[in-house]
Amino acid sequence: MSDESSPPQEQVTETSTAKSAFPFRPGKAVVLFAVCMGMLIGIGFFTFGYGKGASYLSNNPQTCANCHVMQSHMDSWQQSSHHAVAVCNDCHLPHYFLGKWVTKADNGFFHSLAFTMGNFKDPIQIKPRNKRVTQNACIHCHQDLVHPLLPDVRGQDMLSCVHCHTSVGHAER
Amino acid sequence: NIFERQQEARTPFVKVVEVSEISTDPEPWGLNFPQQYEDYLRTVDDEYTDYGGNHALPPSKLKEHPWLKRLYAGYAFSIEYREARGHAYMLSDQEVSPRVTQVQQAGACLHCHAAIVPTYRRIGMEEAGEEVTEAALAESFDHDAVMAGFRAVSQHNYEDVLKELEKTPDGVVKAEAGDPHLGEAHPVSCIDCHDPETMAIRVTRPGFILGIDKLAKSDDPVPHLPSIQKWRDDGAQGDYDPNVHATRQELRSFVCGQCHVEYYCANKMTLTYPWGNGLKVEDLEKEWDETQFPEDADGNEGGSFYDYVHKETGTKVYKAQHPEFELWSQGIHARAGVSCSDCHMPYEKVGATKVSSHWVRSPMTNINKACQTCHHVAEQELKDRVSVIQDRTVQLIDRAADACVEMFDAIVAVQEAGATDEELEPIRDLQRKAMWRLDYISSENSKGFHARQEAARVLAESVDYARQAIAQCYRLEGKTEEEGS
Amino acid sequence: NIFERQQEARTPFVKVVEVSEISTDPEPWGLNFPQQYEDYLRTVDDEYTDYGGNHALPPSKLKEHPWLKRLYAGYAFSIEYREARGHAYMLSDQEVSPRVTQVQQAGACLHCHAAIVPTYRRIGMEEAGEEVTEAALAESFDHDAVMAGFRAVSQHNYEDVLKELEKTPDGVVKAEAGDPHLGEAHPVSCIDCHDPETMAIRVTRPGFILGIDKLAKSDDPVPHLPSIQKWRDDGAQGDYDPNVHATRQELRSFVCGQCHVEYYCANKMTLTYPWGNGLKVEDLEKEWDETQFPEDADGNEGGSFYDYVHKETGTKVYKAQHPEFELWSQGIHARAGVSCSDCHMPYEKVGATKVSSHWVRSPMTNINKACQTCHHVAEQELKDRVSVIQDRTVQLIDRAADACVEMFDAIVAVQEAGATDEELEPIRDLQRKAMWRLDYISSENSKGFHARQEAARVLAESVDYARQAIAQCYRLEGKTEEEGS
Ligand SMILES: [Ca+2]
Ligand SMILES: [Ca+2]
């Protein structure tokens, strides 16, 4: 388990500050506003918008499954080869500071929104941006091993790890 | 691009020795990459699987399938036609093949059987009047010179071009004053698939570069080749250049598509990959149908394209060769983005790193790495699944072969009974279609695995055309007899 | 295993009302399981997809494919033959079909179009001399009585058996003294697939129970049905009983295999599923080839099995009906353990629970749930993949149909020219094989999707046989003309 990448506890406090700084009022305009701001500094919105949003700040996988739509991913993670070595956040959050918090805000907001509105695909379909996050997570841990797979030259693309390792994070995927 | 960050992570490999654009001998590359080199050398010792793999002397397809002798009657393939074996053999197998020793073949044969690109470059440079030194030859790929050299020698005699190979430095042989022998001829080698500077994979074969550009310029939907669609969407500017436009995953198939394809290769025109209308069996057929041989030196019309005159029946027909790339293109694996290399060069863990197995071979001898990373089912079950697919295909090949052989008999009979050329014309058209389709799948080397339903469809069509030809013969026979009586 | 996990999630249900072995009316079940009932009711309103789905009035296959009229000439299917639609319609569509109103049909037709099992049980009990009260009828499944009732009425007239349905209580209609109408006739209903006590899925159809037992006793390898292999390995004791031996995942296909299968259903013998030699097209054909109709009441020999005399040619031929279960069995999905229900009744989340969609329909109208659980690719891409498969199949169906139609013409011509029955016999054999194979794939409702390569293989064989028949006719014509001249 990658302890160094787990969010330190004080971040939660930071969240409440953000919350009071951007009071959330329901209404179309605010939703729109939130969509924009959420990308950058929206850490506060989801905590407010959805009671259990704080689960994003924890590294405990169980808290992701607070949303029942996450249950099957939780189950399949538990059966995966990685359940002993990686939790949700190890794969679904960037492994560098800024990206991590942007992603938390972004996903946190959209999960809450989607969950509330119910207008998401079931089974859930991961979006390209989040695919890049998981890809980077693989590389973060397996850098040495997969060295020859990395781009040979600047700008070259590379294969997606889950093209072959489909069930690493989620069994039977 | 998000991957840019990782790119920094890739430490440049340590070159023990320098390799360059003339390094056709793999040995020095092997010093830099011992694992890949070791694997590569193992292409001499594959096992034999049910329908593929290697032998000390690969089995003769003509012996195993006697109908092939009748299919190829009048063509070099009826003299000898064997199973493929490992890459290490490609040059020597060609040199000793009675198809080459007993029949005059074209230099283009070497396009796919030797590390020939520096030779093309040298000849191209010479034609352009440039001075060719080893250093100049090693400097860069020089696309234009390679293409010029390719065009220049494709129609020359095989033996002459083979000698040209030895006049090109290979990076190892030390030239001696007065000895025209500057290098050895090598089978496919590192330089054919890798940029010697960066080790990035690339394609080098003129035939492929021209063919894939034709394909890009056609309107064939190619969902399995997204970079072509992107190039089209971006306005189809200039030429489609796989080394510029293709994704890395596409290149992992393109390197194989350089050779594992249907072609024309003889002395009436330059080596050609018939992809101008698309990659399906009927698209290729259409291109051959539309092709006219160029005028000969004396200005005589070349006439309609054909590969050989079928000896038993006198019909001009097409020969299909190993269309692995084309058939793969019709299958679900291609569609799902699975490349040739994924199965035939799977990653293997060696020490603390992962490398691509350069022991290119049948995945059925390496199921664990080749299939089980994606398919989490038992090895025996995967074998069985492949058998089901291949057995069905073989059953249909036999069915189509029966029909073709009966067709030959029927045509011979009406010819003996005195049918006119005019009467025979529609029958010959059916015959050509039937033979082309049977040959297409039987000379493809996966026995249908690369695209199971497509393989069955093509064979269904073959049977249909062959039996139509038979029926027309019988009808003609009836008429002829009637008239005769 | 993915299915086990889903199983764990299941919580015991609360019964609002009691249902029992007579509850053919789904309404009370609906009180206990409103979601499933609601879905079930939606089988009245499916959309129409490229090759399937529903219409207000489903399109006539005869109009869309005029050659079908010639294929079925002389048989009820040439009067009317429509696309299938939702389960809610099965009984009414049958009742109004000109195939039923214009032709005398057998009671066995209701085996698959109505919730008929309690009626079988009642008749079986009556035959055994037991007193039949509503309570006795509701008590248990009573396998023996069901089988006896099934055998008793299968060859009776359709209308008579339809009336019998109304003499069986359905759990809702309140019997009034003197009124023989004790219940309504219902299309397939909860009780057909569920144990009313436990809600476990089960099979109830005698035709299937006998058929799958024959299959288990054959030596057909059935890698997709592991419980049959296990039963064989355990010594093949007694009968193979799907309700005892089958895995839950197998039952998720068996419930559909109760009806979506090839059958014989007319008044010369009991409803039969021809699985004694295996599940492939030629295994089924072999069983029909080997079948002799039983003696009639007067002790006259029944003669060789056939479905109808093809009117144009006078040949006795077989009719293939919707072999979805059999074709699925040859495909990769079956092999990978994917059941009918996985695609046609996928799980959907309703609130915090997961239920099986009882809106049984084309998965192409529900790709997200039906396919994307397993295939993580875009919806449009999945559609395209299915289209590629189905278009190839349709192309081959058309090819085989052309051949069959030409075959009819050729046979008619030689008959007119005076060919003898002896001369015609081998031609008729080819004709029967060709028609059987074409019908097999064209009447299967997935247009090849359930087993793409197998579908193509079967059609290739159809073309082969049809064209062989044509050639033989022409040859005969030649001869006849020769003799005549
Ligand atoms: Ca060719
Ligand atoms: Ca039938």
Side-chain angles (χ1 to χ4, degrees):
Chain A
M1 231 148 302
S2 48
D3 278 329
E4 73 282 348
S5 70
S6 55
Q9 204 44 49
E10 57 266 31
Q11 304 293 355
V12 182
T13 332
E14 195 186 287
T15 308
S16 8
T17 325
K19 182 173 91 184
S20 45
F22 295 94
F24 184 88
R25 275 173 279 109
K28 262 191 192 160
V30 172
V31 172
L32 232 165
F33 176 67
V35 168
C36 303
M37 299 305 288
M39 302 280 189
L40 299 163
I41 43 163
I43 301 167
F45 289 117
F46 65 87
T47 14
F48 202 74
Y50 188 76
K52 287 178 182 145
S55 59
Y56 275 89
L57 310 175
S58 151
N59 229 13
N60 182 356
Q62 194 54 56
T63 56
C64 293
N66 273 339
C67 285
H68 47 73
V69 297
M70 293 286 103
Q71 188 59 46
S72 61
H73 306 92
M74 170 82 181
D75 294 346
S76 58
W77 165 73
Q78 257 161 351
Q79 307 221 335
S80 78
S81 60
H82 276 55
H83 74 277
V85 294
V87 296
C88 315
N89 283 343
D90 290 328
C91 292
H92 291 289
L93 283 183
H95 286 247
Y96 59 102
F97 183 79
L98 183 65
K100 181 194 292 183
W101 292 100
V102 169
T103 302
K104 281 195 180 201
D106 180 6
N107 286 347
F109 178 77
F110 282 108
H111 290 201
S112 308
L113 185 69
F115 190 73
T116 313
M117 313 283 279
N119 60 347
F120 55 89
K121 290 252 176 189
D122 171 23
I124 292 164
Q125 305 280 301
I126 196 159
K127 294 182 182 63
R129 184 180 175 288
N130 285 305
K131 278 191 184 214
R132 291 197 292 268
V133 172
T134 49
Q135 171 81 358
N136 282 333
C138 307
I139 294 166
H140 179 86
C141 291
H142 295 289
Q143 187 133 337
D144 290 342
L145 183 77
V146 302
H147 195 257
L149 280 81
L150 299 175
D152 300 284
V153 289
R154 204 174 173 78
Q156 192 190 38
D157 60 341
M158 69 177 292
L159 304 190
S160 154
C161 305
V162 291
H163 171 63
C164 298
H165 302 289
T166 41
S167 55
V168 158
H170 303 274
E172 301 294 335
R173 221 185 151 266
Chain B
N1 184 304
I2 193 111
F3 298 117
E4 271 165 34
R5 274 178 352 94
Q6 295 128 27
Q7 185 225 320
E8 294 148 25
R10 176 157 188 181
T11 44
F13 54 86
V14 191
K15 280 193 196 170
V16 181
V17 296
E18 277 300 323
V19 290
S20 74
E21 286 288 2
I22 53 159
S23 307
T24 49
D25 190 324
E27 216 188 292
W29 300 67
L31 296 172
N32 294 334
F33 306 103
Q35 183 58 41
Q36 284 84 355
Y37 183 56
E38 206 177 280
D39 277 359
Y40 167 88
L41 293 178
R42 296 189 72 183
T43 59
V44 297
D45 51 38
D46 294 0
E47 292 160 50
Y48 189 70
T49 60
D50 267 14
Y51 294 115
N54 267 343
H55 268 231
L57 192 98
S60 163
K61 290 199 186 177
L62 299 177
K63 284 222 186 85
E64 275 170 48
H65 313 289
W67 53 267
L68 281 174
K69 261 193 121 85
R70 295 193 59 187
L71 194 71
Y72 299 145
Y75 201 46
F77 276 84
S78 67
I79 311 175
E80 188 183 64
Y81 179 32
R82 296 189 173 274
E83 300 281 353
R85 53 177 173 165
H87 278 166
Y89 292 100
M90 61 172 69
L91 188 54
S92 53
D93 278 354
Q94 190 180 54
E95 286 179 75
V96 303
S97 168
R99 295 215 300 278
V100 168
T101 56
Q102 295 178 19
V103 180
Q104 179 59 57
Q105 294 290 2
C109 294
L110 289 160
H111 178 274
C112 301
H113 286 258
I116 198 174
V117 170
T119 301
Y120 287 155
R121 185 183 316 114
R122 178 174 62 74
I123 292 169
M125 286 167 78
E126 284 166 4
E127 284 212 331
E130 292 174 44
E131 201 206 345
V132 185
T133 61
E134 184 160 337
L137 204 57
E139 205 176 273
S140 76
F141 185 76
D142 196 344
H143 178 83
D144 294 341
V146 169
M147 293 316 243
F150 160 70
R151 289 209 179 83
V153 301
S154 281
Q155 285 159 266
H156 289 185
N157 282 352
Y158 179 84
E159 294 72 20
D160 299 342
V161 179
L162 191 58
K163 281 200 207 93
E164 291 292 337
L165 284 174
E166 304 188 342
K167 294 188 208 148
T168 313
D170 69 358
V172 167
V173 171
K174 292 281 152 264
E176 281 168 40
D179 182 359
H181 173 224
L182 300 173
E184 301 289 347
H186 298 278
V188 63
S189 175
C190 320
I191 198 165
D192 291 312
C193 304
H194 290 284
D195 181 323
E197 200 63 46
T198 63
M199 286 308 286
I201 46 169
R202 64 165 184 187
V203 292
T204 55
R205 285 298 176 280
F208 180 84
I209 293 172
L210 295 170
I212 201 85
D213 179 48
K214 277 200 287 189
L215 176 68
K217 288 170 181 160
S218 78
D219 56 4
D220 189 35
V222 280
H224 65 305
L225 302 176
S227 77
I228 290 189
Q229 195 49 55
K230 187 171 178 304
W231 178 80
R232 290 176 183 165
D233 293 345
D234 289 350
Q237 305 286 326
D239 291 340
Y240 172 85
D241 180 346
N243 288 322
V244 173
H245 299 107
T247 64
R248 185 162 166 191
Q249 181 64 353
E250 287 169 329
L251 280 169
R252 289 166 56 88
S253 295
F254 285 177
V255 288
C256 316
Q258 300 188 96
C259 303
H260 288 266
V261 299
E262 153 64 0
Y263 63 81
Y264 169 80
C265 165
N267 37 29
K268 290 203 187 159
M269 71 183 187
T270 314
L271 176 68
T272 306
Y273 294 4
W275 300 340
N277 301 307
L279 291 174
K280 286 200 288 296
V281 65
E282 54 267 29
D283 300 331
L284 273 55
E285 184 182 45
K286 185 156 175 266
E287 176 152 340
W288 294 144
D289 285 346
E290 290 165 352
T291 299
Q292 293 288 325
F293 283 126
E295 289 182 353
D296 69 12
D298 309 329
N300 300 320
E301 270 192 16
S304 294
F305 177 92
Y306 70 94
D307 277 303
Y308 63 106
V309 176
H310 184 247
K311 202 174 172 185
E312 296 189 13
T313 54
T315 305
K316 290 182 175 160
V317 296
Y318 307 152
K319 172 77 187 80
Q321 286 97 341
H322 37 70
E324 278 95 54
F325 180 73
E326 293 91 336
L327 190 66
W328 164 83
S329 293
Q330 310 310 321
I332 189 72
H333 279 108
R335 187 105 205 190
V338 184
S339 72
C340 316
S341 305
D342 290 357
C343 298
H344 290 278
M345 298 183 66
Y347 286 108
E348 52 186 4
K349 194 181 169 190
V350 179
T353 179
K354 267 172 86 163
V355 300
S356 305
S357 169
H358 281 63
W359 183 8
V360 178
R361 56 174 161 156
S362 163
M364 299 321 285
T365 59
N366 191 18
I367 292 178
N368 176 237
K369 297 193 178 63
C371 319
Q372 288 182 310
T373 309
C374 296
H375 298 282
H376 303 271
V377 293
E379 189 162 324
Q380 187 56 47
E381 170 62 13
L382 279 164
K383 272 194 190 150
D384 291 348
R385 288 186 190 176
V386 173
S387 295
V388 167
I389 295 169
Q390 295 188 328
D391 288 349
R392 276 202 202 109
T393 309
V394 168
Q395 207 188 315
L396 287 175
I397 288 179
D398 290 344
R399 189 173 284 273
D402 285 350
C404 268
V405 164
E406 271 187 49
M407 173 178 70
F408 299 150
D409 292 339
I411 297 178
V412 168
V414 286
Q415 277 179 324
E416 281 172 2
T420 65
D421 275 349
E422 209 191 332
E423 287 173 324
L424 277 170
E425 207 187 286
I427 295 178
R428 292 197 198 282
D429 286 342
L430 291 167
Q431 180 192 358
R432 186 180 312 106
K433 282 169 184 259
M435 288 172 72
W436 165 250
R437 283 165 177 74
L438 168 57
D439 200 17
Y440 197 87
I441 300 303
S442 81
S443 71
E444 205 277 341
N445 285 286
S446 74
K447 291 285 175 293
F449 177 82
H450 292 145
R452 45 167 31 182
Q453 188 196 16
E454 175 71 357
R457 177 186 77 91
V458 174
L459 290 168
E461 294 194 5
S462 175
V463 174
D464 192 13
Y465 294 128
R467 297 255 173 238
Q468 283 189 39
I470 296 170
Q472 290 204 17
C473 285
Y474 289 173
R475 177 145 262 192
L476 215 55
E477 231 171 42
K479 265 203 220 137
T480 324
E481 275 162 16
E482 215 181 320
E483 283 159 17
S485 68
Chain C
N1 179 296
I2 194 156
F3 305 109
E4 277 165 27
R5 271 184 291 112
Q6 281 150 357
Q7 191 167 11
E8 287 154 25
R10 188 159 165 186
T11 43
F13 58 89
V14 193
K15 276 195 197 170
V16 181
V17 295
E18 279 299 322
V19 290
S20 76
E21 286 289 1
I22 54 159
S23 306
T24 50
D25 190 326
E27 215 187 294
W29 300 67
L31 296 173
N32 294 334
F33 306 103
Q35 182 59 42
Q36 285 84 356
Y37 183 56
E38 205 177 282
D39 277 358
Y40 167 89
L41 292 177
R42 297 190 72 182
T43 59
V44 298
D45 50 39
D46 294 0
E47 293 160 46
Y48 189 69
T49 59
D50 267 14
Y51 294 114
N54 266 343
H55 268 232
L57 191 98
S60 162
K61 291 198 184 176
L62 298 177
K63 283 221 187 86
E64 274 169 49
H65 312 289
W67 53 267
L68 281 174
K69 263 193 121 85
R70 295 191 62 186
L71 193 72
Y72 299 146
Y75 201 45
F77 276 84
S78 67
I79 310 175
E80 190 184 63
Y81 179 33
R82 295 188 174 274
E83 298 281 352
R85 55 177 172 164
H87 278 165
Y89 292 100
M90 63 172 67
L91 188 53
S92 53
D93 277 353
Q94 189 180 56
E95 286 179 75
V96 304
S97 168
R99 294 214 300 276
V100 168
T101 56
Q102 295 178 19
V103 180
Q104 179 59 58
Q105 294 289 3
C109 293
L110 289 159
H111 177 274
C112 301
H113 285 259
I116 198 176
V117 170
T119 301
Y120 287 155
R121 186 183 314 113
R122 177 175 61 73
I123 292 169
M125 288 167 78
E126 284 166 5
E127 281 213 331
E130 292 174 41
E131 200 204 346
V132 185
T133 61
E134 184 159 336
L137 204 57
E139 208 176 270
S140 76
F141 185 77
D142 196 344
H143 177 85
D144 294 341
V146 168
M147 293 315 245
F150 160 71
R151 289 209 178 80
V153 302
S154 281
Q155 285 158 267
H156 289 185
N157 283 350
Y158 179 83
E159 295 71 19
D160 300 343
V161 180
L162 192 58
K163 281 201 205 92
E164 291 292 337
L165 283 174
E166 303 188 343
K167 293 188 206 149
T168 314
D170 69 359
V172 166
V173 171
K174 291 283 153 262
E176 281 169 39
D179 181 358
H181 173 224
L182 298 174
E184 302 289 349
H186 298 279
V188 64
S189 175
C190 320
I191 197 164
D192 291 313
C193 303
H194 290 283
D195 182 322
E197 201 62 48
T198 62
M199 286 309 286
I201 44 169
R202 63 167 183 185
V203 293
T204 54
R205 286 296 176 282
F208 180 84
I209 293 170
L210 296 170
I212 201 84
D213 179 48
K214 276 200 288 190
L215 176 67
K217 289 170 182 159
S218 79
D219 57 5
D220 189 35
V222 280
H224 65 306
L225 301 176
S227 78
I228 290 189
Q229 195 49 54
K230 185 172 180 305
W231 178 82
R232 290 175 183 167
D233 293 344
D234 290 349
Q237 306 284 326
D239 291 340
Y240 171 84
D241 180 345
N243 288 321
V244 174
H245 300 108
T247 64
R248 175 162 163 205
Q249 183 62 5
E250 287 169 330
L251 279 169
R252 289 166 55 87
S253 294
F254 284 177
V255 289
C256 317
Q258 298 189 98
C259 303
H260 289 266
V261 299
E262 152 65 0
Y263 64 81
Y264 169 81
C265 164
N267 37 31
K268 290 203 185 159
M269 72 184 188
T270 314
L271 176 68
T272 306
Y273 295 3
W275 300 341
N277 301 309
L279 292 174
K280 284 199 289 298
V281 65
E282 54 267 29
D283 300 331
L284 274 55
E285 183 182 47
K286 184 156 177 267
E287 176 151 341
W288 294 145
D289 285 345
E290 290 165 352
T291 299
Q292 293 288 323
F293 283 126
E295 290 183 351
D296 70 11
D298 310 329
N300 299 321
E301 270 191 16
S304 294
F305 176 92
Y306 69 96
D307 277 303
Y308 63 106
V309 176
H310 184 248
K311 204 175 170 184
E312 297 189 13
T313 54
T315 305
K316 290 181 176 162
V317 296
Y318 308 152
K319 172 79 187 80
Q321 286 95 344
H322 37 71
E324 278 94 55
F325 179 73
E326 293 91 335
L327 191 65
W328 163 83
S329 294
Q330 309 313 319
I332 189 73
H333 279 108
R335 185 105 204 189
V338 184
S339 73
C340 315
S341 305
D342 288 337
C343 298
H344 290 278
M345 299 184 67
Y347 288 109
E348 53 185 4
K349 289 194 194 99
V350 178
T353 57
K354 262 182 161 176
V355 300
S356 305
S357 170
H358 281 62
W359 183 8
V360 178
R361 56 174 161 154
S362 164
M364 298 322 285
T365 59
N366 191 18
I367 293 177
N368 183 224
K369 296 195 177 60
C371 318
Q372 288 181 313
T373 319
C374 298
H375 298 283
H376 301 270
V377 292
E379 193 161 319
Q380 187 57 46
E381 170 61 14
L382 280 163
K383 272 194 191 148
D384 292 347
R385 288 186 190 176
V386 173
S387 295
V388 167
I389 296 170
Q390 294 188 328
D391 289 348
R392 274 201 203 111
T393 310
V394 168
Q395 206 188 316
L396 287 176
I397 288 178
D398 290 344
R399 189 172 284 272
D402 285 350
C404 268
V405 164
E406 271 187 47
M407 171 178 70
F408 299 150
D409 292 340
I411 297 177
V412 169
V414 286
Q415 276 178 326
E416 281 172 3
T420 65
D421 276 349
E422 209 190 332
E423 288 174 323
L424 278 169
E425 209 187 283
I427 295 178
R428 292 197 198 283
D429 287 343
L430 290 167
Q431 180 192 358
R432 185 180 312 106
K433 283 170 183 257
M435 289 173 71
W436 164 250
R437 283 166 178 72
L438 168 58
D439 200 17
Y440 197 86
I441 300 303
S442 80
S443 70
E444 205 276 342
N445 284 284
S446 73
K447 291 285 175 291
F449 177 82
H450 291 146
R452 46 166 31 183
Q453 189 195 16
E454 174 72 355
R457 177 186 76 92
V458 174
L459 290 167
E461 294 194 6
S462 174
V463 173
D464 192 15
Y465 294 128
R467 297 255 172 236
Q468 285 189 37
I470 296 171
Q472 291 204 16
C473 285
Y474 289 173
R475 177 144 262 192
L476 216 53
E477 231 172 43
K479 264 202 222 138
T480 325
E481 276 164 15
E482 214 180 324
E483 281 158 17
S485 65

